Amino acid sequence: MSDDDTFDAIVIGAGPAGEVAAGRLADHGLRTALVERELVGGECSYWACMPSKALLRPGDLLAEVARVPGAREAVTGRLDAAAALARRDEVTHDLDDSAQLPWLEERKVALIRGEARLDGERRVLVGDRALRAERAIVLATGTGASLPPVDGLADARPWTNREITTAHEVPERLLVLGGGVVGVEMAQAWSTLGSDVTLVEVAPRLLGREEDFAAEHVAGGLRGAGVDVRVGVTVTSARREDDGTAVLVLEGGEELRGDELLVAAGRRPHTDDLGLETVGLEPGESVEVDDRLRSTAHDWLFAVGDVNGRALLTHAGKYQAAIAADVVAGHDVRAEADGPRSPRVVFTDPQVAAVGHTLSSAREAGIDAVVVDHPTEGVAGGSFHGKGAEGRSRLVVDRADGTIAGATFTGPDVAEMVHGATIAVVGRVPLARLRHAIPSFPTRSEVWLRLWETAEADGLV
């Protein structure tokens, strides 16, 4: 094996987590290779986070303007779907990753294009080329969409997040199977772009991970935008008819019809063809890791991002990647905040921004939890977002030490409000200390003052 094929570390997968891992390893002075079979930037940049938010933004802006007198009167006509799709293509660089490469080149990371497979301890095959890692291999291969076991679904040619975020025509009728983040965001986006959308969720409510009120607010927002939201519905079969119509058959016989069918019902790790069996691990499964992001089976193998199953969030993967790189470089660090304390945002209208525990998950974790609620719009700064900009802000408080175990905000543009809560949750800031964190007037961050006052009135401070 030549020097060109031997590295200190090899990272497999060049999505956000893989890029961060490779860049930080190189910054530590380690000779690093990054292997990617598709596009540098990965799922998030081209088929998920970035294009989906680009699709949501035009409708978001119109909804905001419609709530504010003076601005409302200046906007006429309908949303230009073609222009919105063109802007989406700009955001994703027309599925061209060349703009991503200078960052790697500056750090002297060797980019190797091709399908990577493990080939025993510290070895990787990329086609006919054999690579060796002296210190570590970092898996950052992410996840892909999974199909639920519905009769005929696979043969119905469903769309996944990849097709829905890159489509160049607006389907007249769109069926969405799944009421998680992808399902609700894409139902929102394509409804504003002109589709007649029906969303079907098997569970009794949308967004099963979040607070009940957040699910109710999102369902109400979708219905207000014209989406037919069905929850607690069992799908018995699916098919694609000769004329191209997609059909979902519900329990009881009702048939829902659309021009396209999006399945947004879960993810599975990209480990089927990764060669895990050559190192004694199970293909198709998540790679179990410890808090140093090191495989529990091998001290030279690391897994970061969605592939380890800890937190399927881009920002959590980037956080993990930096820690894994530091560990490989010899630093004693651990991941502490990528489980229940991870922040998360749903970019619907209203938005949902949350971090840490919900009331339900806190109690399931054995926390003596109580909530403090206040209307998100119930402060002076809320009035500037216009009429109908309602929401709720909630703190989940741990009675044992008076700290914040979780927070959830709903309302327009609450995504930017969650980082303050993240600092409070991760830092285990006592409520008593929060009275000295003075919010600016007139901003919506004054809701923190109102939450503190409510907590004081409830005897929690």
Side-chain angles (χ1 to χ4, degrees), residues 143-148 160-161 177-180 182-183 263-269 312:
T143 58
S146 63
L147 297 183
T160 68
N161 65 288
L177 177 56
V182 174
V263 176
R267 309 285 293 177
R268 63 192 308 272
L312 273 62

Side-chain angles (χ1 to χ4, degrees), residues 237-287:
S237 66
R239 68 178 186 273
R240 180 76 68 165
E241 297 189 332
D242 291 342
D243 65 357
T245 299
V247 181
L248 289 178
V249 182
L250 309 185
E251 190 173 55
E254 182 182 2
E255 295 189 347
L256 303 177
R257 295 172 176 271
D259 298 292
E260 296 296 347
L261 165 62
L262 166 65
V263 176
R267 309 285 293 177
R268 63 192 308 272
H270 280 312
T271 58
D272 286 326
D273 301 315
L274 195 53
L276 291 181
E277 67 279 3
T278 70
V279 294
L281 298 177
E282 188 68 29
E285 301 294 329
S286 298
V287 179

Side-chain angles (χ1 to χ4, degrees), residues 128-291:
D128 296 330
R129 185 177 178 184
L131 310 177
R132 177 169 177 77
E134 296 288 348
R135 292 201 189 188
I137 293 173
V138 181
L139 305 179
T141 51
T143 58
S146 63
L147 297 183
V150 174
D151 184 42
L153 185 59
D155 295 328
R157 304 193 303 279
W159 280 2
T160 68
N161 65 288
R162 288 200 165 199
E163 290 79 19
I164 194 72
T165 56
T166 57
H168 284 90
E169 293 184 3
V170 179
E172 184 176 339
R173 302 167 300 169
L174 176 65
L175 301 177
V176 179
L177 177 56
V181 177
V182 174
V184 297
E185 286 189 350
M186 290 299 90
Q188 176 95 57
W190 289 90
S191 176
T192 63
L193 290 170
S195 286
D196 182 4
V197 181
T198 300
L199 186 152
V200 177
E201 170 55 50
V202 175
R205 67 177 179 89
L206 305 178
L207 299 174
R209 178 180 179 178
E210 304 303 341
E211 296 279 12
D212 288 349
F213 72 83
E216 292 169 5
H217 290 181
V218 170
L222 289 173
R223 290 184 174 119
V227 177
D228 181 3
V229 179
R230 313 279 191 101
V231 296
V233 174
T234 299
V235 178
T236 59
S237 66
R239 68 178 186 273
R240 180 76 68 165
E241 297 189 332
D242 291 342
D243 65 357
T245 299
V247 181
L248 289 178
V249 182
L250 309 185
E251 190 173 55
E254 182 182 2
E255 295 189 347
L256 303 177
R257 295 172 176 271
D259 298 292
E260 296 296 347
L261 165 62
L262 166 65
V263 176
R267 309 285 293 177
R268 63 192 308 272
H270 280 312
T271 58
D272 286 326
D273 301 315
L274 195 53
L276 291 181
E277 67 279 3
T278 70
V279 294
L281 298 177
E282 188 68 29
E285 301 294 329
S286 298
V287 179
E288 185 179 352
V289 296
D290 61 20
D291 287 343

Side-chain angles (χ1 to χ4, degrees), residues 62 65-66 68-77:
L62 285 181
V65 169
V68 181
R72 176 174 57 220
E73 288 74 16
V75 178
T76 60

Side-chain angles (χ1 to χ4, degrees), residues 38 134 219 310 360 376 445:
E38 292 183 301
E134 296 288 348
R310 286 170 64 111
S360 175
T376 304
S445 62

